[in-house]
Amino acid sequence: MTELEKMRSGQLADMSGPELQAHFERAKTLLAKMRGLSTYSDSYRELLETLIPGIPATSTVSPPFYCDHGDGIKLGEHVFVNANCTFLDGAYITIGDHTLVGPCVQIYTPHHPMDYLERREPKEYAYPVTIGSDCWIGGGAIICPGITIGDRCVIGAGSVVTKDIPSDCIAVGNPARIIRRTDT
């Protein structure tokens, strides 16, 4: 099993290996080219589709944008990601159709060992993040590794999501707490 496969399956992966380093370099090179462009620039869409293979034509990621790999991001139709977002996609980040992601949202999949001696090694785990369809993730929200947010949720601006949020909920705060359901 390659280090990329280990990382994407939640196993401890060696981040210093040549395969993962090449992955990082590819993404960082594309991101550097994209930083000087707008969503209206002629070459922007082509670079975005190279960074995030399979991104639907109806979905937009506004620069500047930051990620580790790009190919670990799976967006549905009509997804809008606003400026200054960071998606650390060691594991897959999946976002459903018609979801809006506010500016400066951070989605993290990496997780480091808890033991400080193990943390000295260039190794980490990664746990997938899944966000459903028709969600609104408010500006500055942070989504932690391994989180699932159901369909039709609203996550308040600046919230830190540390636990799964079921469908049809509004969650706010640090840590994010459900303040009401929207399906009743």
Side-chain angles (χ1 to χ4, degrees):
M1 180 179 282
T2 68
E3 293 302 313
L4 179 62
E5 291 169 332
K6 284 183 185 178
M7 179 181 63
R8 294 270 159 88
S9 67
Q11 297 179 44
L12 190 62
D14 183 353
M15 306 311 287
S16 66
E19 177 194 24
L20 285 177
Q21 287 302 307
H23 241 238
F24 286 130
E25 183 179 355
R26 173 192 163 278
K28 301 310 180 199
T29 300
L30 289 168
L31 291 167
K33 291 177 184 177
M34 292 169 62
R35 271 195 286 280
L37 303 175
S38 80
T39 55
Y40 302 101
S41 299
D42 290 337
S43 60
Y44 182 74
R45 190 69 200 187
E46 181 181 345
L47 286 170
L48 181 61
E49 290 173 359
T50 302
L51 178 68
I52 304 173
I55 183 173
T58 60
S59 292
T60 302
V61 176
S62 302
F65 177 71
Y66 307 93
C67 66
D68 278 344
H69 305 280
D71 63 356
I73 300 168
K74 298 178 180 187
L75 303 180
E77 296 284 340
H78 303 282
V79 171
F80 179 77
V81 177
N82 213 322
N84 280 310
C85 288
T86 300
F87 289 11
L88 301 185
D89 57 322
Y92 290 108
I93 295 172
T94 305
I95 300 176
D97 299 338
H98 299 279
T99 288
L100 306 174
V101 179
C104 303
V105 167
Q106 301 168 61
I107 301 176
Y108 304 144
T109 68
H111 191 277
H112 299 282
M114 297 307 288
D115 180 271
Y116 75 96
L117 293 174
E118 290 179 36
R119 248 189 337 267
R120 292 178 182 178
E121 299 297 319
K123 295 182 179 182
E124 63 187 42
Y125 302 95
Y127 304 115
V129 169
T130 303
I131 299 171
S133 296
D134 294 298
C135 292
W136 175 19
I137 311 300
I142 298 172
I143 315 296
C144 291
I147 295 298
T148 297
I149 297 172
D151 296 330
R152 299 170 302 280
C153 287
V154 175
I155 305 300
S159 296
V160 179
V161 183
T162 61
K163 293 183 180 177
D164 292 351
I165 306 293
S167 294
D168 301 301
C169 288
I170 298 173
V172 300
N174 180 4
R177 291 180 188 83
I178 297 169
I179 59 168
R180 80 179 168 130
R181 295 195 54 87
T182 59
D183 61 346
T184 56

